[in-house]
Structure formats: C-alpha cells, structure tokens
Amino acid sequence: LYPNPFTTQTNITFLTEQKNTRITITDAVGKEVRNINFSGKVLTIEKGELAPGIYVVNVASTNGQATAIKMEIQ
C-alpha cells in the first residue's frame, strides 16, 4: 500500500495477478465502508467520500490467503 498515509489516492501492488480477490475496507470501529471485487496487479483506492482517519484494508484471495493492512487517510 503506497503511499500511506495519503490524501487523494493510494495503490495496492500485488506480486502476482489477482483473480476475484475481495477487498474490504473497514473504519476504526469495524464498520465496513467499502467492498471491492478485484482482478489485476495494481488496485488504486480513491479517497472519495472516506473521512480522514485510520482504516483496515482486508484482502482475501480465492486461494484462501488473507491479509490485513492499516491505511491512513490524511
């Protein structure tokens, strides 16, 4: 995830091509604020309506791997 923190957008770059990977963004209290179904190598996340703060990006691939990344919007 780069840049992190960010103000307008950030990118998640995967080592391998993703297919039907589920990406969920939750806020500091655990409320799901965005859900993305992604295929490719680079995902751009736009700030959009997200308020400044700390979020958790959960990445769950179809092969069972899961990763949680802390993301900060300024």
Side-chain angles (χ1 to χ4, degrees):
L1 185 73
Y2 182 83
N4 191 20
F6 70 98
T7 55
T8 58
Q9 70 181 26
T10 189
N11 295 307
I12 299 176
T13 303
F14 296 91
L15 296 176
T16 59
E17 188 81 14
Q18 300 297 299
K19 291 187 174 132
N20 298 318
T21 297
R22 183 173 181 208
I23 296 154
T24 306
I25 301 174
T26 56
D27 64 14
V29 295
K31 179 183 173 193
E32 186 176 300
V33 294
R34 196 170 291 170
N35 190 348
I36 303 163
N37 190 16
F38 174 73
S39 294
K41 277 194 85 168
V42 179
L43 170 67
T44 300
I45 298 173
E46 300 284 341
K47 177 184 182 237
E49 298 174 5
L50 297 175
I54 304 290
Y55 295 85
V56 175
V57 179
N58 293 294
V59 179
S61 64
T62 55
N63 68 5
Q65 291 183 330
T67 304
I69 306 164
K70 182 178 112 179
M71 174 177 81
E72 182 178 352
I73 300 175
Q74 293 183 331

